[in-house]
Amino acid sequence: MKDLAMVHQKKVLVLGLAKSGFTAARLLHKMGAFVTVNDAKPFEENPEARELLNLGVTVICGRHPEDLLEEGFELLVKNPGIPYSNPLIRTAKEKGIPVWTEIELAYKISEAPFIGITGSNGKTTTTTLLFHMLNQDGKSPLVAGNIGTVASGVAEHAKADNVIVTELSSFQLKGTETFRPKIAIVTNLYEAHLDYHETLEDYEASKMKLTQNQTSDDYFIYNADQPHLAAYAAKCKARLVPFTLKGKKEDSISADDEFIYWQGEELIERSKILLGGQHNLENILAATAAAFLWGGTEETIIRVLTSFTGVKHRSQFIVNWKGRKFYNDSKATNALATKSALEAFPGNIVLLAGGLERNHSIEELRPYMNRVKALVTFGETSNRFEQFALDCGVDVVEKVSDMLGAVEKAVSHSNDGDTILLSPACASWDQYESFEIRGDAFIEAVRTVTGADD
């Protein structure tokens, strides 16, 4: 870990705890800063705050004092989820106090270079896929960021021969100043998080901070099929590596209906790739390009593409049994996520859907219900899903009470070549404590019904 001399004997405020705030506060204290932590959760309910207090950190819990910044802080490190409209953040900006997220701290202390991955969709899958490619090729990758592992905690122990593959949200990137990944990836950009950013321009600008400090020694991998993203790329100083789904390109990574191409040469037949769905093809292209740029071998990349089944509960491939492919998309807890899943597969889908009744609309599924040959529905929304599917012209609708029954019915209405897809479009809490438990129940039911080990 590099020593961060700029914080020695300096007063630093860490606003908001959770995992990232706790890790940042601990590190800053370790590097000799005078750290104060301010968190809204009451002290007696805050084990992180109690642990930091035992280390000698000043802790203020249960409120955000309006006069807190009058204590002469020279740096503020905030939890990414705290919006910039927060009065303390606004005041810090007015006073000229730097406001970071812990990603900036991670970059400043890391001996290892970074590969940064962002986008509206596909970040986790791209990050995980790239990690597996580099790991199997002996490149000593570490994984960090929005994927669940605090980047500054990873950077604390990283060595120069590591590379930190980092999933980054717009919330995290907005609080960076000098962060410069050797490879930056933007999978796509769609309108999102406007409750936080307030404008689309601010959201996109926050995402593009990923590449703002790159130079001609770095690479920027981006979705060339999105004109507005290509326009951002044109302003970038890094070497550009576009990816496209619109046919073979000689100078980039690309795909058509049959193959993936690397610099115009056939790399792999798409039919041999286990990770399903058109949306995942973008993630595959981005991860593959980054793996090649980091020195990955074609043999390893192909081996991963023919074995990687996806991030658990996110269009996760389970098994191909008697020509039927089973996918676990239990993370789809709203209609938009299920729409994306239905859009990803060409048709002949047996859909398993239903769950907690929150009176949300499922109308956005209608244009894709012609891909559904049968619906198996369960949970509090089962009656509503049944009526909706029949209204959409789905011929076969079954209502069941549990996941084993759902898989049994799905198999009974399927044929060779069909996709059996759990994509509930609802939260799980009417029957399961979490979408993870629901997804695990689906996997277990698939194994029971098919006799498959995986």
Side-chain angles (χ1 to χ4, degrees), residues 217-229:
D217 293 330
D218 308 316
Y219 294 94
F220 178 39
I221 300 169
Y222 67 97
N223 189 337
D225 294 338
Q226 290 195 317
H228 63 295
L229 189 46

Side-chain angles (χ1 to χ4, degrees), residues 54-84:
N54 289 334
L55 292 175
V57 173
T58 301
V59 173
I60 301 171
C61 285
R63 60 192 180 92
H64 296 303
E66 293 183 6
D67 60 351
L68 185 58
L69 290 178
E70 295 177 9
E71 297 185 18
F73 293 106
E74 297 180 62
L75 173 66
L76 189 155
V77 179
K78 77 176 195 68
N79 182 288
I82 297 173
Y84 284 79

Side-chain angles (χ1 to χ4, degrees), residues 68 104-105 128 139 157 202 217 220 248 272 294 297 314 333 362 374 377 411:
L68 185 58
E104 180 72 9
L105 176 63
T128 307
K139 301 299 182 183
H157 303 290
D202 185 71
D217 293 330
F220 178 39
K248 181 171 69 172
K272 295 181 179 179
W294 206 260
T297 62
R314 302 182 188 209
T333 57
I362 54 177
T377 185
V411 168

Side-chain angles (χ1 to χ4, degrees), residues 327-399:
Y327 288 89
N328 166 28
D329 193 39
S330 184
K331 180 67 167 62
T333 57
N334 56 53
L336 178 61
T338 296
K339 178 182 84 89
S340 296
L342 293 176
E343 191 176 16
F345 297 99
N348 293 326
I349 298 170
V350 180
L351 176 64
L352 285 66
L356 183 71
E357 179 59 87
R358 293 191 289 192
N359 297 310
H360 65 303
S361 173
I362 54 177
E363 273 298 314
E364 58 195 302
L365 301 182
R366 188 177 293 274
Y368 303 94
M369 291 301 288
N370 59 356
R371 303 183 180 199
V372 176
K373 63 178 290 185
L375 172 73
V376 182
T377 185
F378 44 79
E380 292 177 357
T381 58
S382 59
N383 288 337
R384 190 150 67 92
F385 264 95
E386 178 186 33
Q387 187 56 53
F388 175 73
L390 292 172
D391 188 50
C392 290
V394 178
D395 293 330
V396 178
V397 180
E398 297 272 11
K399 290 199 299 182

